[in-house]
Amino acid sequence: MIPFFPHQISTKAIYIYLGALAAVSLFFFSHAMSIGYIIMGIAWVSGFFLLSNYCSEKWKDLPQKKLLSNLLLVALGLRVFWVFFSYIYYTIKTGIPFEFAAGDALWYYEESVGNINTPWKDIWNYLFVDTATVSDSGYVFYLTFLAKIFGENVLFPRLVNSCFSAVTVLLIYFLAKRNIGEDGGRLAAIFACFMPNLIFYCGLHMKETIMIFLMVAYLERSDYLLRSKKYNILTIALPVLLALILFTFRTALGGVAVFALVTALVFTNTSVIGRGKRYMLIGWGLLAALTLTGGTILNEIDGLIENRDVNQSNKRLMQTTKGNLWAKYATGSVMAPVMFVLPFPTMVDVDQQYTQQMLSGGNYVRNFLGGFVLIALFSALFITKNWRNLSLIGSFIIAYLGIVSISGFANSERFLLPGLPVLLIMAAYGVTLLDAKNYKFIKVWYWVVPILIFGWAFFKLGSRGLF
């Protein structure tokens, strides 16, 4: 078992990125990214792989308390730095401290500052009672709370979000440790600490950072409840509360969270969960489901299920209308087989997709680590056959990515983001399982990744008739 991220693999990952970036930029020279985005991508990729290798080797024998302290300080420092850097960067580039073509972010901000002088009772009724949908209501409520404390300041909510993101790294450690062991837990937390996409969203006014914190907290507390021999009202009520809050951020995510827990209750080995606790928790789950029956949340879930085909069709039609002629071929059946390695990085300048270009390095990291995710999946299903004891995180990621794949947003980095923490845990598990046989697969993966990247650039430009 390998307890760290090997230097040989980390340097190879950087060379492959540089080679793929050079190939795409030269072949599609008239649509190459600007030098600023190229430098940013190289910084994301080099920083992630070099620091993941260095820290996983240096920290592998540290006492847990010292490890957690290091993770928290480094993760928080990186995120706070990015908050200030992105604030200045966006102010220079767009004239306001918000990202390019800011839509949802501006709406969240304006809603929160508009509620500063509104009584809490009226805010509650507006967000949770007199509304047809509760999605986003939880985040607006959270931002309103911060706005009443810090006023109209843009930076403070993002700094608070950075704190939550740093704590998420620690939660990933505890969740991964119980599922894949101490070495895997340390490596997963280090991956999360340096993951470009998780850092990037701390500099935005979007809900993703807090939503991911809630999701990871839910999975961690649910996993603790399943595996712990001691439990009480608090340990049972906390996952239920976190699930309910998730529904107020993204309805589909809340539904998947509940599904994952139910799946774990059914499939986890009795030696882990215990027969009596299994039946008791199933009873609690049924009670919670009955509580939701007939309410706004259930109506939203019904709407999502009934309109899933219409939503996907409309998304494809919209993309085709905008000139993306090949979008109609990116159906759920086509995208589902590659969901564990998506999204592909945007390494060409097209349709003013500046945010996607800023995240090209982070998305490449996801593609590269996807090889280790596949190793973990294969091992859990066919080698170690321990999938039952990984059923909580496994069912969550399969269900969530499955929903995204049929939604019409299969390659949308933002919609795929909530699955990233679990994918990092699976990638860390795959690294710990490396042996001579598995490494042969990774050496093949070295060739697959640049082919996928080049193919995606060809698809983006070709579907718009740009060559």
Side-chain angles (χ1 to χ4, degrees), residues 5-38:
F5 193 57
H7 177 73
Q8 178 184 0
I9 295 177
S10 66
T11 53
K12 194 73 173 181
I14 296 172
Y15 293 148
I16 291 172
Y17 177 76
L18 293 174
L21 178 62
V24 170
S25 299
L26 291 174
F27 194 87
F28 305 108
F29 186 75
S30 60
H31 297 283
M33 295 192 297
S34 68
I35 188 65
Y37 295 138
I38 290 176

Side-chain angles (χ1 to χ4, degrees), residues 201-254:
Y201 276 86
C202 292
L204 305 181
H205 232 72
M206 305 292 283
K207 66 180 177 181
E208 272 65 25
T209 297
I210 302 301
M211 186 167 64
I212 289 174
F213 165 79
L214 292 168
M215 183 272 295
V216 174
Y218 168 82
L219 290 175
E220 194 277 330
R221 286 294 85 192
S222 295
D223 185 75
Y224 175 83
L225 176 61
L226 290 172
R227 297 174 186 274
S228 176
K229 291 184 171 26
K230 296 181 180 180
Y231 53 92
N232 51 42
I233 295 296
L234 180 61
T235 56
I236 296 173
L238 189 55
V240 174
L241 177 61
L242 288 168
L244 288 173
I245 296 174
L246 276 174
F247 277 106
T248 69
F249 276 69
R250 182 173 293 167
T251 308
L253 190 61

Side-chain angles (χ1 to χ4, degrees), residues 110 133 187 212 245 283 329 368 447:
E110 291 168 356
T133 173
L187 189 53
I212 289 174
I245 296 174
Y329 300 113
F368 189 87
W447 293 96

Side-chain angles (χ1 to χ4, degrees), residues 415-427:
F415 280 87
L416 290 167
L417 191 67
L420 181 55
V422 174
L423 290 176
L424 292 178
I425 293 174
M426 296 172 66

Side-chain angles (χ1 to χ4, degrees), residues 21 71 115 141 183 209 263 277 290-291 313 320 333 345 403 420-421 436:
L21 178 62
L71 284 170
N115 290 331
F141 184 87
D183 292 335
T209 297
T263 302
K277 186 165 67 171
L290 289 173
T291 302
S313 178
T320 303
S333 58
I403 289 175
L420 181 55

Side-chain angles (χ1 to χ4, degrees), residues 175-452:
L175 175 62
K177 177 184 176 180
R178 287 195 294 271
N179 282 268
I180 62 175
E182 177 67 32
D183 292 335
R186 290 180 179 232
L187 189 53
I190 289 170
F191 282 167
C193 178
F194 299 115
M195 186 65 207
N197 303 61
L198 297 181
I199 297 171
F200 180 84
Y201 276 86
C202 292
L204 305 181
H205 232 72
M206 305 292 283
K207 66 180 177 181
E208 272 65 25
T209 297
I210 302 301
M211 186 167 64
I212 289 174
F213 165 79
L214 292 168
M215 183 272 295
V216 174
Y218 168 82
L219 290 175
E220 194 277 330
R221 286 294 85 192
S222 295
D223 185 75
Y224 175 83
L225 176 61
L226 290 172
R227 297 174 186 274
S228 176
K229 291 184 171 26
K230 296 181 180 180
Y231 53 92
N232 51 42
I233 295 296
L234 180 61
T235 56
I236 296 173
L238 189 55
V240 174
L241 177 61
L242 288 168
L244 288 173
I245 296 174
L246 276 174
F247 277 106
T248 69
F249 276 69
R250 182 173 293 167
T251 308
L253 190 61
V256 169
V258 173
F259 169 80
L261 181 55
V262 172
T263 302
L265 286 171
V266 173
F267 289 103
T268 303
N269 288 328
T270 303
S271 59
V272 174
I273 188 175
R275 191 180 303 275
K277 186 165 67 171
R278 186 196 306 272
Y279 294 145
M280 185 270 293
L281 291 177
I282 289 175
W284 268 82
L286 291 173
L287 180 62
L290 289 173
T291 302
L292 297 177
T293 301
T296 302
I297 292 176
L298 188 63
N299 292 335
E300 281 193 59
I301 295 174
D302 288 339
L304 286 172
I305 295 173
E306 292 175 1
N307 297 323
R308 64 188 184 280
D309 294 330
V310 175
N311 292 338
Q312 184 178 20
S313 178
N314 289 342
K315 171 66 175 178
R316 299 303 175 210
L317 178 62
M318 179 186 69
Q319 291 175 321
T320 303
T321 302
K322 289 183 175 181
N324 195 344
L325 302 178
W326 296 350
K328 60 184 178 181
Y329 300 113
T331 61
S333 58
V334 173
M335 303 303 289
V338 292
M339 286 305 295
F340 292 102
V341 301
L342 290 176
F344 298 129
T346 296
M347 292 187 178
V348 288
D349 185 13
V350 60
D351 292 348
Q352 297 183 332
Q353 295 179 347
Y354 302 126
T355 298
Q356 288 92 324
Q357 293 176 62
M358 291 176 70
L359 274 172
S360 66
N363 290 344
Y364 167 80
V365 171
R366 296 186 61 161
N367 299 155
F368 189 87
L369 292 182
F372 298 99
V373 173
L374 296 177
I375 289 175
L377 281 171
F378 184 83
S379 177
L381 291 172
F382 303 110
I383 308 300
T384 60
K385 297 181 179 180
N386 64 335
W387 63 269
R388 287 180 175 272
N389 294 337
L390 300 174
S391 57
L392 177 68
I393 60 175
S395 59
F396 171 84
I397 194 63
I398 291 172
Y400 184 75
L401 294 182
I403 289 175
V404 175
S405 71
I406 64 173
S407 68
F409 297 92
N411 198 61
S412 171
E413 188 274 336
R414 180 183 169 193
F415 280 87
L416 290 167
L417 191 67
L420 181 55
V422 174
L423 290 176
L424 292 178
I425 293 174
M426 296 172 66
Y429 187 36
V431 172
T432 64
L433 294 173
L434 272 181
D435 54 24
K437 185 176 180 179
N438 289 338
Y439 188 61
K440 289 181 180 178
F441 171 77
I442 293 300
K443 288 195 288 187
V444 174
W445 193 249
Y446 289 159
W447 293 96
V448 172
V449 171
I451 291 173
L452 292 174

